[in-house]
Amino acid sequence: MNLQKNIYDLEKNRLLNSDQVAEYLGFKRSYIYNLVHKGILKPFKCGKKAKGRLRFLISDLDKFLGR
């Protein structure tokens, strides 16, 4: 496989936390949680606690942005 394609695939499948997502999308973190609550953004839950920590794929964020 092409090395450049592999790097691109790794980047688009990278997980971001809610602060990073807010910066990436240009929104406040509270708005990110609102989008999650409405089912617009689908996070992954990481961690053992009941709520877990939310992580988001860059590829999902790009789809949200229409890229």
Side-chain angles (χ1 to χ4, degrees):
M1 273 194 161
N2 184 338
L3 180 61
Q4 193 171 20
K5 182 179 178 339
N6 286 344
I7 292 171
Y8 174 75
D9 288 342
L10 284 173
E11 180 64 21
K12 73 178 183 175
N13 289 315
R14 188 167 58 114
L15 292 171
L16 302 179
N17 66 32
S18 57
D19 288 329
Q20 293 167 322
V21 170
E23 183 176 337
Y24 188 80
L25 297 179
F27 299 130
K28 292 183 179 182
R29 190 171 60 167
S30 60
Y31 186 67
I32 301 304
Y33 289 128
N34 191 12
L35 293 173
V36 170
H37 180 71
K38 290 181 178 181
I40 296 170
L41 287 181
K42 305 285 184 187
F44 291 91
K45 289 187 179 180
C46 301
K48 295 183 180 182
K49 293 185 178 183
K51 290 185 178 182
R53 295 178 184 193
L54 302 182
R55 298 291 184 265
F56 303 82
L57 282 171
I58 288 180
S59 58
D60 290 342
L61 301 174
D62 287 341
K63 286 178 192 174
F64 170 76
L65 293 173
R67 293 183 187 168

